[in-house]
């Protein structure tokens, strides 16, 4: 039965392969997006932009809130992995 199933699904192999690739790309993008080091670096750049006058206090506050939310999610995800290390 396994051989028949594989033969019937063979025309869909490129789609299944493409879906796997897309899933891997999304997972990597999320890993980078929620990486605490990345978020902290973005917070530092945001503060620099405020100090040199590129952004105003309101824009800083909005962006800082978003980054702190991301950092909180990242730290919760790390805590969920036990020791905080990704494999």
């Amino acid at each position: 039965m396994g051989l028949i199933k594989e033969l019937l699904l063979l025309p869909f192999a490129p789609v299944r392969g493409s879906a796997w690739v897309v899933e891997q790309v999304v997972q990597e993008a999320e890993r980078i997006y929620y990486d605490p080091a990345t978020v902290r670096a973005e917070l530092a750049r945001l503060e620099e932009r405020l100090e040199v006058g590129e952004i105003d206090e309101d824009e800083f506050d909005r962006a800082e809130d978003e980054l702190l939310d991301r950092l909180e999610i990242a730290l919760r995800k790390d805590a969920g992995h036990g020791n905080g290390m990704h494999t």
Side-chain angles (χ1 to χ4, degrees):
M1 185 82 157
L3 180 60
I4 294 172
K5 178 181 172 185
E6 288 300 316
L7 286 173
L8 291 173
L9 293 177
L10 189 60
F12 298 104
V15 173
R16 290 188 340 222
S18 297
W20 180 84
V21 169
V22 168
E23 182 179 331
Q24 298 306 305
V25 169
V26 167
Q27 286 178 359
E28 181 64 10
E30 286 180 351
R31 187 193 65 77
I32 292 168
Y33 184 77
Y34 288 109
D35 178 35
T38 300
V39 176
R40 288 184 183 110
E42 288 184 36
L43 281 166
R45 282 193 300 272
L46 183 66
E47 191 169 342
E48 289 172 3
R49 292 181 64 205
L50 177 65
E51 289 174 2
V52 298
E54 287 183 20
I55 59 173
D56 64 18
E57 194 73 34
D58 290 336
E59 188 175 350
F60 173 82
D61 288 340
R62 281 190 300 275
E64 182 186 42
D65 287 345
E66 291 174 14
L67 288 169
L68 291 175
D69 288 345
R70 275 175 48 196
L71 185 58
E72 183 180 344
I73 291 168
L75 295 176
R76 271 192 266 135
K77 284 183 177 190
D78 278 351
H81 284 92
N83 63 5
M85 300 295 292
H86 293 280
T87 56

